[in-house]
Amino acid sequence: MQMQRLIRRIGIAGAVAAVLVGVAGTGAQAAVVNPYTPEALCGLGFVAVDQDPIHDTATGTRLGTVHLLRNPLTGYGCTVTLKSAYVGTLTGTRVYLDPEWTTFGVDEGSRRYAAGPVHRYLGPGCAIWGGSMTDPAGTVHHHDRANPAIGGAVTCF
């Protein structure tokens, strides 16, 4: 009887230790901060215009953010997707910018921190922009305002 209690206590202690290690591991992953900013990636003179989060559709966890910036002096726009989950891990990351006056631009691939920058002339017109991230299981998650009819969010200048 005492042997069974001892085995049970050891089992409980082991389970508690495993949970604590798992929680510590989760915290360590969550503590990884993306070292980049949209302004640093886009360059001098670019200012934030809009942004849209990318969430895991199953869990609601924020995976990253798509940013739209514009240089008011040149009329050029810039988009980047910054990762906030899986930072430092190669996962599929995409960003695009499709201005009314110039050609579609995209940057995509396995990235550790960000996709982009994508620069295009915006002028006085409108642009469709957006991005996505792929989780390690291979599921693609689009930004929250992704419009299936046009592929992205629309911003006019």
Side-chain angles (χ1 to χ4, degrees):
M1 189 72 158
Q2 284 198 352
M3 182 59 104
Q4 288 176 340
R5 277 191 239 157
L6 179 62
I7 291 172
R8 188 178 316 134
R9 286 183 184 167
I10 291 172
I12 291 170
V16 169
V19 167
L20 291 175
V21 168
V23 169
T26 302
Q29 175 64 24
V32 177
V33 176
N34 196 320
Y36 295 98
T37 66
E39 294 81 6
L41 290 171
C42 287
L44 190 62
F46 282 89
V47 294
V49 172
D50 203 352
Q51 65 182 18
D52 201 33
I54 300 170
H55 286 103
D56 183 307
T57 51
T59 67
T61 303
R62 189 180 194 129
L63 302 177
T65 305
V66 184
H67 297 268
L68 172 66
L69 294 86
R70 185 172 189 262
N71 185 319
L73 298 176
T74 65
Y76 273 78
C78 176
T79 53
V80 295
T81 297
L82 290 182
K83 295 170 65 171
S84 52
Y86 316 116
V87 176
T89 302
L90 288 171
T91 59
T93 311
R94 182 175 195 253
V95 69
Y96 58 90
L97 180 57
D98 189 9
E100 186 175 5
W101 303 108
T102 57
T103 59
F104 177 84
V106 64
D107 180 48
E108 60 188 336
S110 291
R111 305 288 191 266
R112 293 185 190 280
Y113 302 99
V118 173
H119 291 94
R120 291 290 184 272
Y121 180 70
L122 298 177
C126 299
I128 299 170
W129 58 278
S132 62
M133 288 181 58
T134 304
D135 64 31
T139 304
V140 177
H141 305 275
H142 298 279
H143 64 102
D144 288 0
R145 288 186 288 162
N147 181 333
I150 60 172
V154 176
T155 302
C156 296
F157 301 95

